[in-house]
């Protein structure tokens, strides 16, 4: 990995969700001084179309090759930003996220404490992204045959549905006959029609 | 059901189970075990003729035990596939029998009075029916499951009965047609040699058996006294074998006295089977052994059996504790002597058949246990006494029996004039130049195939094992015959053969509840005076009545008794009792688990008295009662055959109950309403319905509830807490009526328990097989309780129906359709994306210790041929548990590597 | 006993059943040391007595792996005391030794002695007189004394106030010179590259200071959880006399207490840290 | 961190599926949490090795919190069965070596248990605050090459 590491850090204001408790400008200042960071910016909504465009722009124009976004939980937008990297031509696993909304601004009252904690998390994400490596998903073919285990009404129904769609189905039944409990029933509620 | 059975895209594997699942979404390798059906699906026409002669009846699963079915059966009339099936399980008796005689089969036939068929059935396995029926040490009886009721069946005596009753009138056998050109030489006409001859001649080989003695039968003829095995019984059985075409050359020893050598036999025959037995007696190795009056049991019994004059004294000591010792002692007694048996261990360690020891004692033979001779004393060349020393039992030896050690200064003297030594025998191998012997002086042969190191030469019986029992020799002969056949046909000696049968202890047999005890029958014996003075047979055999009563005690552990009656009836020739289980390997892209539920077993809640009255029914039992195809033809009747006047239905049995299952089974309210309606409609009986609250959540359900209310059903809001069986058979149901706020009770003729649904008992096993989770109620866990109801945490595996939770028919169908749609979506897309955030092994650091393999929740890691860990990326879910378990940091969860996490930890702290 | 071992070694070497017999001999200085016997004629070198306290199983790990791909691993015989057998069981469980490539000459153990003839401390806590696994057993076992290891040494530390414990351990561990003799002597420390010596110093660097030393010893002990058989080899070889077994024995004591009485090397089930599933009852322990 | 008194620094290892989600839920519910908790996300609590805990303590953390899914709810089935052996064992060893047991805590937080998350973190911070800073010689410049 001889390539120079150039990190872009994007601090999201999330409207006032973050900005009200975290001094975003101070975090940007802090981040911009961290090693390998070539650009640090804040924006109202980093996840928005313009926010995403900014990242793409920096990747193209400033040769940013690692991206850190400090915003909400990665469980919300990690995939969104990974797609941005992908679209801009760098590996989506060169991305790291700091959760300064759910874990900071929403749960801390004191603005200086919140700002301090946000810095820690941004530092942590920046340090981490330096060690991250490109990864490539694989695709595998799907064998166009299905196995249905159990020959009761559920198994029969599933097997018939798949078989009718033109796929081969193996229907495995433990007993000598399919039918399961259903075959033992006489009439079924509420219409009392015959079950077999 | 019918559609599924004949859909061109559905391959039905019935009577089968998935035993292994490998691979990952889109690419599963599945192994399916097909249980042997013993009926060829392609030939069976479903005519049902086969059932007619089947002697075995068991409870019908389909009719939930309300009726019986045969061992060969079709689960129900509309079964798919419509073919029959044979319910065959391992049985302790047949498994334990060294010769694997179908014990349960002939016992079932005896029970039905088909004695000739019983004899014929045994003769398919062995020619020595009357013989084994008398002399077998019957290990089968030790394992007979009936012993858990009161006592094992008298299996041996029943075999003898079949012979005694049917053999005299059985038509003489015709010579078997030669199929193959090869000839086989057998040395020895004992049970091993003649059993091999019997099987080989029936296969179509030419067989010649050489015998050194003037009579055929080996130890059966010259070792066992006539009071145990009358000469004519043995002779008739040997004649039967001869009649099939086996040539026996008497007075023709091998390798001595001018007889042919082993080399001659190898040259003149295509294969040789050595079954020379163990006729040479071991020496005592004490001073005075050369005195006249010291005999060996083999010589003594042989002379006696050959009708030679034998002289023994008045006071005889027999040394040894085996069957030969007992035979010698009881024979000496019959010659008029006073007999004492001296044995160095205690009675419990005696290898002789316990019943024989008992018989010897009854006849007045004395025993000196824990004693052994140290010298034999004589005067003027005549024996006067034998000096013995007392023994005590020390530490166990290699055989597991406690080794006897002498007690110092405990010598004592027995005044005797004859000593019969019976402390073991060896084969006489001297004449058999070219064969290999073991350190024990026996022949070397493969214990499974009986092959010796010499090409084309097989060996078995006492000559290989040392002295053992007749049935072991029969088994050895049978194994040798099969091996010789394979050898001559150029087939593998082992492939497809079963040498190890299931151990009796491993065979699970359920003893029916409430079985009535029935004493084991014992055969009548000759009066004692006659026993002591003659060589007439002691045991007199069963009467027909005794035999049938004894046969009726059989528990039919194997269900199918292999009596072969069905085979004779099947015109389509669809039945094959030798079918084996098969394995089918499948490759599939998706898996739908639809294994269903189990009915709650109400015996777990004793307050409902289920099982204590036949009129307390589960929901499913009542269901069968109302079915036109059911046990009553669709009439709702009590066990006494009467139309009930009052019926109680109890909801929530086993559901919403902290003592059983907490969950609601969802279907019981509705089926209970249906039952109430049917009872009202079909019998007009008063119906009391005990419910907690009425759950009528489905489309049209509430309307149905209203209709049942209009039927005049009496609804009691409150859990039915107890059912009591009154002495007159009436049933009293108690409940707390929560509307009235007081206890109520109803006296009825029939109670229907609204038994709920629960996870199947094998759910844990199935979960492990498919990598499924389970929820607290025991059912399989879906990926998300609301949003992903048919997916599981194993990608590509979906859930359908009640295996995921209780649901009724329409919901089941909907759920199954959803599962099918998910599977179809995957298959029609054709590809899956596999995440790269998986673990990766740095082989340089990996020591192959396997901790990651064990820690991985997905079995995604294995050790490869180089002893290094290897990750199946498709199975890995990237949890990283492996990395924390690895002491060498040799496994790296990509995107959550140690480097990255350390950077993050240190970074967050600075 | 010695004659049994020699006769067996001779037979094994003569038959070619093994390539080497690892046992004990008296070295030129009069001290007992490991012996590697390749020739039947040399079996007279082998001895066994109360001085043979080294765990020879340690030498198997390297011999039992092919040096080159596809190379046939030679069969080795090794003299194994009951305690050593536990180490061997761990190695078998962890695929470091192939069972069919090792011939286990088990010895019935009467305990090891110190130079002054007093019994070795660890032997006074041992209740095993016959190895749990062997191919042949030499010698007659003495009466088994039901000794239960009470871990009194560990309890003594546990009884100290926290600050005294910390001072004690910092003092002890500061003496470490990072020579790694403990690791080399340990039969169950067999990583190809030790975490403490990785080029990238991922967890711990090469500095000879307390944090690095403590990290090394704590993690080494922790990696032995459910695996250390308390053979004492590490402590015996430590040139600085650091009481390393006190750390290992603490973990062994806790593993047994927390994980169903598990004792390393006594079953075919590897360390419970990766095998044992836990029910809700474990919650009491967690905080 | 502000204030005159000692403010402990706590590394909290949170599993992605339950406890990280639980922390998110605490955020969504706007519960007030001590700012001393510095979360490190792992996919499963079973990923947290003894090395990682030690590393945190020797790198300046005054306490380490390991949070996972409740036993039986592990997203990976049995990952937390490993955690529940490893962390308590390490905790006992640490204590044996003289480090207060209250500096390491393992607990379970589900994705819905926001209140539980707040309670555990507050309790833990207070406990460590009471203990004061973890004083180990030279711990903050552990040589990591």
């Amino acid at each position: 990995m001889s390539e120079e590491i150039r990190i872009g850090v994007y601090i999201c204001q999330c409207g006032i969700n973050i900005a009200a408790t975290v001094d975003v400008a101070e975090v940007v200042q802090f981040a911009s001084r961290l090693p390998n960071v070539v650009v640090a910016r804040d924006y109202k909504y980093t996840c928005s179309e313009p926010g995403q465009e900014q990242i793409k722009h920096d990747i193209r124009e400033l040769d940013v090759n690692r991206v850190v976004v400090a915003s909400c939980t990665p469980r919300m937008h990690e995939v969104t930003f990974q797609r941005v990297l992908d679209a801009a031509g760098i590996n989506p696993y060169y991305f790291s996220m700091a959760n300064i909304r759910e874990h900071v601004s929403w749960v801390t009252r004191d603005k200086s404490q919140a700002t301090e904690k946000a810095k820690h998390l941004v530092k942590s994400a920046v340090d981490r992204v330096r060690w991250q490596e490109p990864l490539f998903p694989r695709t595998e073919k799907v064998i166009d045959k299905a196995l249905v285990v159990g020959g009761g009404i559920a198994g029969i129904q599933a097997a018939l549905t798949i078989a009718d769609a033109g796929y081969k189905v193996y229907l495995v039944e433990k007993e000598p006959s399919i039918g399961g409990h259903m075959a033992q029933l006489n009439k079924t509620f509420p219409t009392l029609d015959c079950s077999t | 059901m019918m559609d599924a059975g004949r859909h061109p895209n559905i391959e039905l594997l019935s009577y089968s189970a998935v035993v292994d699942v490998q691979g990952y979404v889109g690419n599963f390798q599945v192994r399916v075990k097909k249980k042997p059906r013993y009926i060829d699906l392609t030939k069976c026409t479903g005519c049902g003729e086969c059932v007619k002669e089947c002697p075995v009846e068991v409870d019908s699963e389909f009719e939930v035990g309300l009726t019986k079915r045969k061992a060969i059966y079709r689960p129900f009339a509309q079964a798919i596939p419509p073919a029959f099936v044979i319910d065959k399980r391992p049985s302790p008796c047949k498994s334990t029998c060294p010769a694997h005689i179908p014990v349960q089969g002939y016992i079932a036939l005896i029970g039905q009075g088909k004695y000739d068929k019983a004899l014929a059935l045994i003769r398919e396995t062995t020619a020595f029916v009357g013989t084994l029926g008398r002399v077998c040490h019957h290990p089968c009886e030790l394992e007979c499951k009936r012993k858990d009721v009161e006592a094992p069946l008298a299996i041996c005596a029943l075999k003898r009965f079949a012979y005694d009753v049917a053999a005299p009138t059985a038509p003489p056998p015709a010579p078997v047609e030669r199929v193959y050109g090869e000839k086989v030489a057998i040395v020895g006409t004992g049970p091993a040699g003649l059993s091999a001859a019997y099987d080989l001649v029936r296969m179509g080989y030419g067989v010649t058996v050489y015998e050194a003695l003037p009579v055929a039968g080996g130890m059966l003829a010259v070792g066992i006294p006539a009071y145990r095995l009358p000469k004519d019984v043995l002779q008739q059985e040997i004649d039967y074998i001869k009649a099939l075409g086996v040539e026996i050359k008497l007075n023709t020893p091998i390798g001595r006295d001018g007889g042919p050598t082993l080399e001659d036999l190898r040259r003149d025959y295509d294969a040789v089977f050595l079954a020379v037995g163990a006729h040479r007696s071991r020496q005592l190795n004490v001073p005075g052994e050369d005195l006249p009056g010291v005999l060996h049991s083999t010589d003594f019994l042989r002379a006696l059996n050959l009708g030679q004059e034998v002289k023994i004294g008045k006071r005889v000591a027999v040394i040894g504790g085996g069957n030969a010792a007992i035979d010698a002692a009881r024979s000496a007694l019959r010659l008029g002597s006073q007999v004492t048996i001296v044995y160095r261990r205690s009675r419990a360690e005696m290898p002789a058949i316990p019943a024989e020891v008992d018989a010897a004692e009854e006849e007045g033979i004395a025993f000196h246990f824990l004693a052994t001779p140290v010298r034999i004393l004589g005067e003027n060349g005549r024996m006067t006494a034998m000096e013995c020393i007392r023994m005590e039992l020390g530490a166990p030896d290699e055989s597991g029996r406690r080794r006897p050690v002498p007690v110092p200064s405990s010598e004592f003297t027995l005044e005797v004039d004859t000593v019969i030594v019976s402390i073991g025998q060896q084969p006489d191998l001297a004449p058999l130049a070219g064969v290999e012997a073991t350190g024990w002086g026996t022949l070397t042969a493969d214990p499974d195939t009986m092959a010796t190191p010499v090409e084309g030469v097989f060996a078995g019986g006492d000559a290989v094992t040392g002295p053992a029992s007749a049935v072991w020799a029969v088994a050895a002969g049978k194994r040798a015959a099969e091996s010789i056949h394979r050898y001559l046909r150029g087939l593998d000696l082992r492939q497809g053969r079963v040498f190890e049968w299931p151990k009796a202890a491993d065979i699970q047999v359920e003893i029916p509840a409430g079985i009535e005890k029935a004493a084991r029958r014992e055969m009548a014996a000759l009066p004692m005076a006659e026993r002591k003075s003659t060589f007439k047979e002691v045991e007199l055999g069963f009467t027909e009545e005794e035999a049938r009563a004894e046969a009726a005690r059989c528990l039919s552990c194997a269900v199918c008794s292999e009596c072969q009656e069905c085979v004779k009836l099947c015109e389509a020739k669809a039945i094959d009792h030798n079918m084996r289980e098969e394995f089918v390997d499948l490759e599939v892209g998706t898996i739908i688990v639809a294994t269903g539920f189990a009915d709650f077993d109400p015996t777990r809640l004793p307050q409902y008295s289920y099982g204590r009255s036949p009129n307390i029914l589960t929901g499913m039992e009542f269901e069968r009662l109302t079915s036109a195809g059911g046990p009553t033809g669709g009439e709702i009747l009590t066990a006494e055959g009467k139309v009930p006047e009052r019926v109680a239905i109890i909801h929530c049995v086993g559901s919403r109950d902290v003592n059983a299952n907490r969950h609601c089974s969802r279907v019981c309210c509705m089926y209970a309403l249906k039952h109430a309606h049917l009872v009202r409609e079909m019998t007009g009986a008063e119906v009391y319905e005990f419910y907690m609250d009425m759950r009528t959540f489905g489309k049209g359900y509430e309307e149905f509830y209203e209709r049942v209310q209009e039927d005049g059903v009496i609804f009691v809001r409150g859990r039915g807490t107890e059912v009591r069986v009154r002495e007159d058979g009436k049933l009293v149901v108690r409940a707390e009526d929560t509307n009235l706020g007081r206890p109520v009770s109803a006296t009825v003729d029939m109670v229907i328990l609204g038994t709920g649904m629960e996870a199947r008992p094998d759910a844990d096993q199935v979960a492990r097989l498919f990598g499924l989770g389970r929820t607290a109620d025991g059912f399989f866990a879906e990926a998300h309780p609301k949003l992903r109801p048919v997916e599981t945490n194993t990608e590509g595996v979906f859930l359908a129906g009640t295996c995921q939770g209780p649901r009724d028919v329409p919901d089941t169908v909907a759920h199954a359709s959803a599962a099918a749609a998910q599977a179809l979506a995957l298959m029609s897309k054709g590809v899956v994306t596999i995440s790269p955030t998986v673990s990766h092994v740095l082989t340089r650091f990996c020591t192959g210790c396997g901790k990651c393999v064990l820690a991985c929740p997905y079995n995604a890691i294995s050790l490869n041929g180089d002893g290094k860990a290897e990750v199946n990326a498709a199975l890995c879910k990237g949890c990283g548990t492996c990395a924390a378990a690895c002491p060498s940091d040799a496994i790296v969860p990509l995107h959550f590597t140690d480097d990255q996490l350390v950077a993050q930890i240190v970074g967050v702290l600075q | 006993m010695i004659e049994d071992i020699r006769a067996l070694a001779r037979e094994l070497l003569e038959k070619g059943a093994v390539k080497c017999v690892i046992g004990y001999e008296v070295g030129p200085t009069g001290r007992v040391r490991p012996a590697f016997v390749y020739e039947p004629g040399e079996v007279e070198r082998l001895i066994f007595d109360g001085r043979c306290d080294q765990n020879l199983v340690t030498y198997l790990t390297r011999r039992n792996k092919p040096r080159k791909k596809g190379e046939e691993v030679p069969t080795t015989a090794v003299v194994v005391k009951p305690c050593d057998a536990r180490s061997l069981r761990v190695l078998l469980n962890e695929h470091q030794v192939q069972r069919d490539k090792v011939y286990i000459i088990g010895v019935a153990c009467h305990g090891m002695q110190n130079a002054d003839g007093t019994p070795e401390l660890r032997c006074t806590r041992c209740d095993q007189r016959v190895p749990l696994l062997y191919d042949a057993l030499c010698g007659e076992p003495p009466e088994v004394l039901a000794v239960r290891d009470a871990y009194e040494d560990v309890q003594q530390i546990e009884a100290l106030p926290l600050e005294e414990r910390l001072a004690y351990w910092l003092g002890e561990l500061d003496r470490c010179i990072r020579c790694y003799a403990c690791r080399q002597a340990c039969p169950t420390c067999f990583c190809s590259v030790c975490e403490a010596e990785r080029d990238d110093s991922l967890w711990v660097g090469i500095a000879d200071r307390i944090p690095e030393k403590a990290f090394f010893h704590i993690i080494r002990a922790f990696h032995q959880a459910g695996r250390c058989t308390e053979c004492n080899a590490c402590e015996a070889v430590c040139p600085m006399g650091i009481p390393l077994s006190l750390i290992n024995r603490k973990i062994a004591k806790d593993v047994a207490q927390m994980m169903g009485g598990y004792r390393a090397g006594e079953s075919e089930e590897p360390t419970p840290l990766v095998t044992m599933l836990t029910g809700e009852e474990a919650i009491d322990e967690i905080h | 961190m502000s204030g005159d008194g000692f403010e402990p620094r706590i590394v909290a290892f949170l599993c992605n599926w339950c406890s990280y989600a639980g922390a998110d839920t605490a955020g969504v519910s706007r519960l007030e949490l001590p700012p001393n908790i510095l979360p490190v996300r792992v996919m499963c609590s079973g990923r947290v090795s003894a090395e990682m805990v030690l590393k945190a303590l020797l790198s300046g953390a005054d306490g380490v919190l390991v949070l996972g899914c409740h036993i039986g709810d592990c997203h990976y089935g049995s990952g937390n069965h490993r955690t529940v052996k490893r962390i308590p064992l390490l905790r006992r060893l640490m204590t044996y070596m003289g480090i207060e047991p209250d500096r390491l805590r393992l607990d379970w937080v589900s994705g819905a248990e926001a209140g539980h998350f707040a309670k555990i973190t507050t309790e833990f911070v207070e406990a460590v605050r009471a203990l004061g800073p973890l004083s180990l010689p030279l711990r903050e410049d552990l040589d990591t090459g």
Side-chain angles (χ1 to χ4, degrees), chain C residues 165-166 169 195 201 203 205 209 212 222-223 246 254 257 273-274 276 278 280 283 285-287, chain D residues 50-51 55 58 71 81-82 85-86 88 91-92 95-98 105-108 141-144:
Chain C
R165 294 188 215 178
L166 184 63
W169 284 113
E195 216 172 69
S201 300
W203 297 109
R209 306 178 314 170
E212 286 78 13
F222 201 78
H223 285 173
L246 271 180
D254 286 347
Q257 196 183 80
L273 265 75
V274 291
M276 195 177 169
T278 306
E280 291 287 336
I283 309 301
E285 182 65 40
I286 62 176
H287 35 245
Chain D
E51 284 91 332
K55 185 76 177 184
L58 289 169
I71 290 285
H81 289 254
R82 305 286 151 252
K85 313 273 175 328
R86 188 182 303 134
R91 187 167 184 263
R92 284 179 173 216
T95 314
Y96 183 71
M97 310 283 276
R105 177 166 174 171
L106 167 66
D107 217 320
W108 316 129
D141 42 38
L142 175 74
D143 176 9
T144 54

Side-chain angles (χ1 to χ4, degrees), chain B residues 857-858 879 884 896 898 909, chain D residues 9 38 41 46-47 76 82 86:
Chain B
Y858 293 95
C879 67
F896 284 87
D898 284 337
L909 286 165
Chain D
R9 285 185 291 175
L38 303 170
R41 182 169 66 126
R47 173 70 183 92
Y76 303 104
R82 305 286 151 252
R86 188 182 303 134

Side-chain angles (χ1 to χ4, degrees), chain C residues 99-280:
Chain C
R99 183 63 185 89
D100 58 342
K101 298 292 184 193
V102 57
Y103 187 95
I104 308 171
I105 303 174
V107 286
C109 185
H110 293 244
M112 295 293 117
Q113 281 109 42
N114 298 314
D116 61 2
T118 54
E120 268 190 35
L121 185 60
R122 67 184 178 117
C123 299
T124 63
R125 301 175 184 133
C126 172
D127 61 356
Q128 287 174 331
R129 296 293 175 263
V130 176
L132 288 172
L133 71 168
Y134 55 79
D135 292 307
L137 182 64
C138 295
E140 287 283 328
E143 280 292 299
V144 176
L145 298 170
V147 189
R148 233 190 102 186
D149 191 348
Y151 288 98
E152 278 154 358
D153 48 346
V154 174
Q155 285 181 0
Q156 273 175 21
I157 305 273
E158 287 170 345
L160 294 176
L162 278 176
E163 53 275 24
E164 280 181 39
R165 294 188 215 178
L166 184 63
Y168 172 75
W169 284 113
L170 289 175
E172 291 293 341
L173 295 180
D174 196 22
R175 299 214 311 278
C176 173
I177 55 172
R178 296 191 75 179
C179 69
Y180 300 130
C182 49
R183 186 189 73 198
Q184 295 309 109
C186 175
T188 47
C189 237
F190 50 72
C191 288
S192 31
V193 179
C194 176
E195 216 172 69
E197 284 190 297
R198 286 270 291 255
D199 297 343
D200 56 7
S201 300
L202 173 68
W203 297 109
V204 49
I206 55 167
D208 185 23
R209 306 178 314 170
I210 286 197
E212 286 78 13
K213 292 189 250 195
F215 199 106
F216 168 70
H217 285 290
I218 292 174
I219 290 301
R220 197 186 89 78
F222 201 78
H223 285 173
Q224 295 295 337
R227 307 173 60 241
C228 172
T229 59
E230 300 153 70
C231 76
N232 210 37
C234 50
E235 186 174 310
V237 297
C238 178
M240 306 307 291
I242 300 171
L244 294 168
S245 67
L246 271 180
I247 313 181
N248 294 322
R249 282 168 52 71
K250 165 65 180 168
I251 296 190
K253 174 178 177 251
D254 286 347
V255 165
Q257 196 183 80
M258 295 162 65
M259 300 172 206
Y262 185 90
R263 294 234 298 156
E266 291 193 350
S267 80
E268 292 184 31
E269 186 85 345
T271 168
L273 265 75
V274 291
T275 52
M276 195 177 169
L277 294 180
T278 306
E280 291 287 336

Side-chain angles (χ1 to χ4, degrees), chain D:
Chain D
M1 320 255 158
S2 70
D4 301 315
F6 158 63
E7 282 298 336
R9 285 185 291 175
I10 309 294
V11 171
F13 293 104
L14 306 180
C15 86
N16 183 59
W17 306 97
C18 294
S19 36
Y20 197 92
D24 283 354
T25 312
V28 172
S29 319
R30 306 297 200 277
L31 299 179
E32 192 178 350
L33 299 178
N36 317 58
I37 298 289
L38 303 170
V40 172
R41 182 169 66 126
V42 288
M43 293 311 278
C44 177
S45 64
R47 173 70 183 92
V48 182
S49 61
E51 284 91 332
M52 280 158 63
V53 174
L54 221 52
K55 185 76 177 184
L57 290 175
L58 289 169
S59 303
D62 300 299
V64 172
L65 197 51
V66 180
L67 299 180
C69 308
H70 287 273
I71 290 285
D73 288 346
C74 177
H75 181 79
Y76 303 104
S78 61
N80 56 2
H81 289 254
R82 305 286 151 252
T83 327
V84 77
K85 313 273 175 328
R86 188 182 303 134
I87 301 300
L89 191 68
L90 179 65
R91 187 167 184 263
R92 284 179 173 216
L93 180 63
M94 250 174 55
T95 314
Y96 183 71
M97 310 283 276
I99 297 173
E100 298 88 345
D102 286 350
R103 293 192 190 274
L104 175 59
R105 177 166 174 171
L106 167 66
D107 217 320
W108 316 129
V109 174
S110 79
E113 291 174 331
H116 190 48
F117 180 81
K119 179 171 169 282
I120 288 170
T121 48
T122 310
E123 268 176 21
F124 189 68
V125 168
E126 287 321 308
V128 176
R129 194 195 306 280
L131 291 174
L134 174 61
S135 67
L136 293 175
L138 299 168
R139 68 168 176 141
E140 293 193 16
D141 42 38
L142 175 74
D143 176 9
T144 54

